[in-house]
Amino acid sequence: MTELTTANAVITVENVEKLRAYEPEAEKQIVQVLYHTYPYCGGGRFVASGDTKSADDNGMIIVTKGGCRWKRVTEGEERGNILLWGADPSGKNDSSSAIKAAIADGKTRTVVIPHEGKFVINETIELGRVSLIGGSKDHFGQKAAYSSLITGSDLDGAMFTKVGKNVIGIAFHDRNQTHTALEMTSYVNLVQNCSFHNFKSAIETPGGVDLSLLDNTFTSVETAIHLQDASLCTTSRFIRNHFHYVHDCILVDGELYGASFVDNIFERVTGRAIHGKVIYHSHFQGNWWEHRNGAEEARCVTTEMYQQLFYNTASANYAVFGWINVFNSDTHDNRVGGVMTGEGNVVIRTPTGQALRIDHESIKSECDQWTGKGDLTLETGYDKVYSNVGDFYIMAGNNTGYRHRDLKNGSLVFTSRGNDGSWQGKLHFLQGKDDDGNDLKESYSFPSWSIGGLVGEADFQCDSKVRKTTVAIPQQVLWDSGPSTGTGCFTEIDDSQPGRVRFLLEDGAPQLRNYLIHCTVHTRGVMCDGIGHVNVYGGSWNAYRRAKGFDVFFIDRETGEAKTPDRFCLMLAHVEGNKLEE
């Protein structure tokens, strides 16, 4: 074989089939092939090689009838372009063998689906650890101007199996909604910027570890994403996917742990949007659910096992027109457990009916009616050896960034939702434990029938027995040559009789019940001579210890004659129901 001169080194051959019939005329002869099989596609330069062993692969190596080898001249990832292996971009002929040949080449880890064309798949293709890359996607996956892969009439099974790496920028289309597009390997997979149209099942994977599905579109699909069989699926990411006219969107047969659902759109979905056996330690952010397309109302996230959405975080998720928002609803049973934000609220919820809600003006413990009361604990920090515990402050004021000398102090208000906002709870101060491990406490309450002051009882242990004693924070009343501080609650005060001052409440007002009065006389030589009770009705004090007022009597210490002091004070405490136990 003689070497050609520079002037006539390159000749032109129409296609690959005619290249097989052309024997090289010189060593390292260069031939320009116009196209592979179909006009204007898959051509390129080939050079004559002294290789005598390589097989004809119908893409990179072409073997002549005489046994000579033509080897294609390529650069980088170009050798993965399926047009170079004989694929038909018109969609009229099967391109399965061309794609299989590109995968089998082994010298590139990327198979390229060109932007210009649609390619029919009539045979299931095992992709393995090779990436499938296209130029872009179409919303419905069938326009010739996009990287489209379409199921052929002879396809029996999935389009691609054992997909173990990346699939990017491909438009997948099923002619009759009977096939699966991708069967993944479940470990470190990426599907991005792809569209899936009219499939029975778009993506299936046996579980999922480090699975990423980003910027994909699913339309007219029965099941979009199905994580099958595995008991635990971890670290999967579902980001900016659009599900439109889909029945089931994301189904997980096992437990879903550590997943992220961000900025997905579920529109016109008739089945389940996100569903798993159990979903926990996962994140939901910026997702949108809209319209049920005629289906009955449904939760936007569901689990196979009841109340098994827990330890999750969520923010800015919205569900409208037939979708139940499980993130920011007022009830908490079988909702998403974890930390939720939205509508100006932070909700820390269990999926079993209880939650803590924080907004711009309150911290509230909430519970569904069937769960009973919801306790709330505020605890300061402490060091590891429990030797120092932080102080607890409640501060009311206007944080303006500079000092105000005339800033008024705020108030600590105890109120409730019922009884016109009146607070009827108790203040408990824990004192320790008794011999049986029960709490010893001092308790105070504000009885609705009283005119002021806190009443209560305290536990103490004596001779291995827990006893109770009466405690109270009394109401203060001052007389200073006439009614003074603390007397405003009485509608009538009468001192016309020497040595007696009568304090009365209006009929129908809160009553005095089993009250205690301590009198201190400030005027020297005058002493208190006892307390009298003014009945609400005949015998009310003797029978029920109820009174509408009381008389305070005074006498001159030396003469014993009735005398009203210039100044005295009363401490009034209401202790109904409290007595020293035997």
Side-chain angles (χ1 to χ4, degrees), residues 302-375:
T302 56
T303 55
E304 194 70 26
M305 300 180 67
Y306 187 63
Q307 296 179 336
Q308 293 302 301
L309 280 160
F310 56 92
Y311 301 151
N312 300 293
T313 60
S315 63
N317 297 284
Y318 296 95
V320 295
F321 303 130
W323 290 102
I324 299 173
N325 192 334
V326 300
F327 303 100
N328 291 323
S329 57
D330 293 331
T331 58
H332 309 296
D333 179 36
N334 201 27
R335 265 52 177 182
V336 174
V339 181
M340 318 291 128
T341 62
E343 300 178 358
N345 292 261
V346 176
V347 180
I348 304 170
R349 174 188 289 128
T350 72
T352 54
Q354 295 182 320
L356 177 71
R357 187 182 299 271
I358 303 173
D359 59 27
H360 70 285
E361 60 182 8
S362 65
I363 301 175
K364 296 177 286 188
S365 176
E366 300 180 347
C367 56
D368 292 349
Q369 186 174 3
W370 65 272
T371 65
K373 66 178 183 178
D375 296 331

Side-chain angles (χ1 to χ4, degrees), residues 66 78 103 117 186 240 312 349 370 372 415 455 464 487 524 545:
E78 181 187 1
I103 295 171
S186 81
R240 294 185 303 275
N312 300 293
R349 174 188 289 128
W370 65 272
T415 184
V455 301
S464 300
T487 60
R524 296 185 65 182
R545 288 295 189 264

Side-chain angles (χ1 to χ4, degrees), residues 507 511-512 534-538 540-541 546-549:
D507 291 339
Q511 301 170 0
L512 301 172
V534 181
N535 287 318
V536 178
Y537 49 85
S540 66
W541 175 257
R546 297 184 181 184
K548 63 179 294 184

Side-chain angles (χ1 to χ4, degrees), residues 36 57-60 79-87 98 101-102 105:
H36 188 288
D57 60 13
N58 199 41
M60 297 296 111
R79 67 185 295 130
N81 190 323
I82 62 173
L83 293 178
L84 305 186
W85 300 86
D105 174 48

Side-chain angles (χ1 to χ4, degrees), residues 370-385:
W370 65 272
T371 65
K373 66 178 183 178
D375 296 331
L376 175 63
T377 301
L378 300 177
E379 182 178 354
T380 60
Y382 49 83
D383 60 23
K384 293 183 179 179
V385 295

Side-chain angles (χ1 to χ4, degrees), residues 449-488:
W449 41 261
S450 77
I451 60 173
L454 290 172
V455 301
E457 59 186 16
D459 300 330
F460 68 95
Q461 186 167 351
C462 181
D463 298 330
S464 300
K465 183 177 181 180
V466 175
R467 300 174 181 272
K468 295 183 183 296
T469 185
T470 297
V471 293
I473 300 177
Q475 177 188 358
Q476 308 292 328
V477 176
L478 177 62
W479 178 275
D480 192 358
S481 300
S484 184
T485 304
T487 60

Side-chain angles (χ1 to χ4, degrees), residues 429-435 438-442 459-461 466-467:
F429 298 91
L430 296 185
Q431 310 270 2
K433 301 284 187 181
D434 64 17
D435 292 342
N438 300 313
D439 290 337
L440 294 173
K441 56 183 179 292
E442 185 169 319
D459 300 330
F460 68 95
Q461 186 167 351
V466 175
R467 300 174 181 272

